[in-house]
Amino acid sequence: MSGVFYDAAAGSGKTTYLARLAVEHRNGHVLLTTFTDANSDELNRVLLNEVGSIPDTIDVMPWYTFLLNECIRPFQGAFGALANEPIAGIDLVSTASALRTRKTELRHYACRHNGDNKIKIFSDKLAELALYINEITNGDVIDRLSRLYTMICIDEIQDMSGYDLDLIANMLCEISDMRFAGDQRQATFHTANVAKNKSYRKSGFGKYIKDKRLNCTVDVDTLRFCHRCPQIIVDLADALYPELPSTISTRDKSEATSQQPIKLVRVSDVVSYSNRYGAVSLVYDRRTKTPPGIQTNNMGAVKGLSFDNVLLFPTSNMRNWLFDHSTNLSEATKAKLYVAVTRARSSLAIVVPDDFQPQALDAWHIWMPGDINMEKS
């Protein structure tokens, strides 16, 4: 029983890589799972591109769905309080649920849904409940998974936290082949906001493997190259994490592009720029102010996606860092900025106030409507 963790760079094609591994092993029974619905949709899209349809021997599902349907429901009768209670679904929580309760109590894991009185499992307790049921059944949960799947692949492994990590560690002991792919710099989401294994939200899955002495190889070579962004954009993103190995872009420097890779755009020119280049606008959250008519996406929610031209609305702290890398950013802010910057295939435009005055910025210039000097021939 062993695993491989592919420590990936942004734009390295890790989702495609895992999907292709699943196709190669489709004569067995493969699970492809990841935290978010959006990433599950991307896995399905890649599979459709690779083989034209989803093979019957490959299951694609979000992580929470996997925990509920494959780890909890088949054994809920073993937990007396759940034996005769149909589980209606999952109660999504953003903070730690059911504090000061015991793991032997139903209320530690679930609540009754208002209106119909049906049971819903707290999202941050799904993995903990799966582990508890595995404990009281003497390992039946993990044993079932080992018989059900010949390979399990988990994409965006950096999103896993709390008891989810411990469940994965248990799975590694029994399941014949497990593969993981992730980039710790893109840890914009977490499966559970709990104290358990909290330190690994920053240090990452590779550190968890080492500390727990898991039978899992860390592969830092297979997915180390970025196939999406020009090197100048990759270098900017890497500067957020100088302690980590630098990323190499496979994009040829002579590759034709009509724009400078990085530029500045004043707020009053945002609409003109967006209309001209069809740029995708990225914001920290919905509180970010943007000009009327600009459709926006949350920086953290576009993980795994690529866009030709990105229009970045940085927070004030982000903007300070962009022009002075000594500025301190929180881990969450760094991760969101890293994701936003590395979505760009051709160009990254950074929105600045109208009164912004660049100083000693040799590489970045302010875009102006009709300025042919910003175009490459």
Side-chain angles (χ1 to χ4, degrees):
M1 315 307 169
S2 63
V4 180
F5 166 42
Y6 302 100
D7 197 349
S12 61
K14 58 185 173 54
T15 299
T16 299
Y17 186 82
L18 289 184
R20 287 175 176 170
L21 276 177
V23 171
E24 290 173 8
H25 291 78
R26 66 184 181 274
N27 288 337
H29 190 189
V30 183
L31 170 67
L32 276 173
T33 184
T34 186
F35 178 32
T36 68
D37 291 346
N39 287 335
S40 292
D41 291 342
E42 182 65 9
L43 283 166
N44 278 311
R45 185 193 68 78
V46 173
L47 282 173
L48 289 172
N49 285 344
E50 291 293 316
V51 293
S53 63
I54 309 298
D56 292 338
T57 55
I58 298 178
D59 295 340
V60 181
M61 66 185 81
W63 180 248
Y64 285 167
T65 302
F66 161 70
L67 293 178
L68 182 60
N69 291 345
E70 304 300 339
C71 300
I72 296 173
R73 278 185 168 137
F75 300 97
Q76 69 180 78
F79 185 14
L82 274 178
N84 299 308
E85 292 275 7
I87 300 174
I90 299 168
D91 185 25
L92 298 174
V93 296
S94 58
T95 57
S97 64
L99 300 176
R100 294 179 294 279
T101 55
R102 294 189 296 271
K103 72 174 187 177
T104 56
E105 299 176 301
L106 177 59
R107 65 183 184 136
H108 182 70
Y109 305 101
C111 64
R112 294 193 180 277
H113 190 243
N114 293 334
D116 56 18
N117 205 35
K118 291 182 178 179
I119 291 287
K120 283 193 172 184
I121 309 298
F122 297 123
S123 58
D124 66 333
K125 294 290 175 48
L126 286 162
E128 186 181 357
L129 178 55
L131 282 167
Y132 180 60
I133 294 176
N134 189 62
E135 176 187 332
I136 62 178
T137 59
N138 297 313
D140 284 354
V141 174
I142 304 300
D143 178 67
R144 176 179 182 272
L145 294 177
S146 70
R147 289 182 286 107
L148 183 61
Y149 294 112
T150 54
M151 172 184 276
I152 292 180
C153 300
I154 303 179
D155 195 13
E156 306 290 359
I157 188 66
Q158 75 278 353
D159 292 343
M160 299 294 160
S161 60
Y163 286 92
D164 300 272
L165 290 172
D166 290 352
L167 179 63
I168 290 168
N170 276 260
M171 292 163 65
L172 270 167
C173 295
E174 298 292 335
I175 293 166
S176 59
D177 193 353
M178 294 193 70
R179 309 293 179 97
F180 314 94
D183 177 3
Q184 188 58 32
R185 293 165 291 198
Q186 297 187 60
T188 57
F189 298 124
H190 298 290
T191 51
N193 186 16
V194 296
K196 183 72 172 178
N197 293 319
K198 187 175 182 179
S199 65
Y200 297 108
R201 291 190 210 172
K202 179 177 180 180
S203 57
F205 188 60
K207 184 70 162 53
Y208 182 82
I209 290 170
K210 180 179 179 181
D211 289 352
K212 303 299 180 180
R213 299 182 179 180
L214 301 179
N215 187 18
C216 185
T217 302
V218 178
D219 181 336
V220 297
D221 296 318
T222 300
L223 297 175
R224 63 179 293 230
F225 297 101
C226 176
H227 309 299
R228 178 190 299 140
C229 312
Q231 188 66 51
I232 188 173
I233 292 178
V234 169
D235 290 343
L236 175 63
D238 276 353
L240 284 159
Y241 297 91
E243 72 280 9
L244 298 180
S246 58
T247 305
I248 300 172
S249 172
T250 59
R251 295 279 298 276
D252 193 319
K253 291 182 179 180
S254 64
E255 189 176 327
T257 178
S258 62
Q259 301 186 65
Q260 295 287 346
I262 302 178
K263 69 202 72 172
L264 309 177
V265 176
R266 289 193 169 103
V267 171
S268 58
D269 292 325
V270 160
V271 174
S272 295
Y273 182 86
S274 181
N275 290 340
R276 181 164 182 174
Y277 296 109
V280 174
S281 299
L282 302 182
V283 298
Y284 186 83
D285 59 28
R286 61 185 180 182
R287 295 171 297 179
T288 304
K289 294 181 179 179
T290 59
I294 294 295
Q295 299 292 319
T296 62
N297 296 270
N298 184 294
M299 295 176 189
V302 295
K303 187 166 49 178
L305 303 180
S306 301
F307 310 108
D308 287 335
N309 303 304
V310 167
L311 187 59
L312 173 65
F313 288 82
T315 63
S316 58
N317 281 347
M318 286 179 175
R319 188 168 62 247
N320 290 339
W321 180 88
L322 286 165
F323 301 115
D324 178 4
H325 291 353
S326 67
T327 300
N328 290 323
L329 297 177
S330 70
E331 291 301 316
T333 299
K334 282 201 297 184
K336 279 198 168 189
L337 182 55
Y338 180 87
V339 168
V341 168
T342 55
R343 298 312 94 195
R345 281 190 291 256
S346 296
S347 73
L348 171 70
I350 301 164
V351 178
V352 295
D354 281 351
D355 59 359
F356 179 82
Q357 296 298 323
Q359 296 181 8
L361 295 176
D362 296 332
W364 301 354
H365 301 284
I366 292 182
W367 180 86
M368 300 180 69
D371 187 351
I372 62 173
N373 290 325
M374 292 298 292
E375 308 287 330
K376 286 186 177 181
S377 58

